[in-house]
Amino acid sequence: MQRVNISTVSEFVLVGLSDAPEIRLLLFVLFLLIYLATMASNITLLVAISTDSHLHSPMYFFLGNLSLLDILCPTITMPKMLGALLLDNREISFFGCLFQHFSLIAVVGTEIFLLAVMAYDRYVAVCHPLRYLSIVSTKLCAQLAVGTWAAGLLNSLLHTSLVFTLSFCGPNKIQQYYCDIPPVLALSCSSTRSRELVILAVAGVLGSGACVVTLVSYIYILLEILAKNSPGIWQKAFSTCGSHLTVVCLFYGTTICTYVRPSSTYSPHLDRVISMLYGMLTPLLNPIIYSLRNKEVKCALKRVISRARSAL
């Protein structure tokens, strides 16, 4: 019977962004403002989608799920990072690191699948506008949403079990401000090559599948636009798909740079910059992108702000 590796490391130390006290304070203020702005923008958008009847459609249902993910993503990593910057408290328990890793990978995976579902939704809206509500029904929306969250959780469970059943018996300094796959694998004192291959294979298959759905959806949208070639159709299609396409490019660009590569190419300083782009700026920019490009969202946000002012 194969012996199970048991970790001898009870806690990890997260390497912060800076050791200089004056810079740490400046970074703390900057990242706290980014975090608060991210929470405020996504919560406001979520409230608008939930309470405004004009936004009770499949597109905004999926956008609400995206806003929820954009709330969870920085909340998983930034409070610990802010504590490290302000209090120099960089220790995290083994199981705390495991939970942080599991939660983050689950959110990342769910967002990948959700963006593919949103691409399919945009395809139906452009190519089958008259049948849109019958095809993308309430039941289908619920099934797709549950499916994306379930797939994200199962994917994270696999990745977390592959990483945290390794032996950790040496250095415990994680060269990152949160428990991410590459820096945690780098600390293992057992062979990681086979597990890296499995992680890359699973991420490649699932990520490629989501990319294919997104790409095929937009190919059909492009073909539909070229076939009709009516006046104003390009502007209408861009107003329908522009926000989603921008978010897809932003998300996939930063995620691929962070995860889809072997640990031999891991660079702590570069990865911290890339992970900040993904973990902090993307959740902040997503609601801004959708708000700026969408008149219905703008009007709904104005109504929410107006109601909040009246209540206060």
Side-chain angles (χ1 to χ4, degrees), residues 235-284:
Q235 291 81 353
K236 185 177 179 181
F238 187 73
S239 66
T240 304
C241 308
S243 299
H244 177 260
L245 193 57
T246 305
V247 169
V248 165
C249 293
L250 185 65
F251 178 84
Y252 274 101
T254 52
T255 306
I256 288 171
C257 290
T258 304
Y259 295 109
V260 187
R261 55 191 177 80
S263 63
S264 58
T265 63
Y266 174 68
S267 170
H269 300 294
L270 179 61
D271 277 46
R272 285 176 207 168
V273 175
I274 295 172
S275 61
M276 279 190 284
L277 290 174
Y278 162 71
M280 298 181 196
L281 292 183
T282 302
L284 174 62

Side-chain angles (χ1 to χ4, degrees), residues 16-34 78 81-82 85 276:
L17 301 174
S18 174
D19 293 324
E22 62 277 5
I23 296 185
R24 286 214 317 262
L25 183 59
L26 179 63
L27 290 175
F28 171 81
V29 173
L30 174 63
F31 293 139
L32 178 62
L33 291 175
I34 291 174
M78 288 191 72
M81 183 199 70
L82 292 172
L85 288 171
M276 279 190 284

Side-chain angles (χ1 to χ4, degrees), residues 63 72 184 274:
L63 181 56
L72 293 175
V184 173
I274 295 172

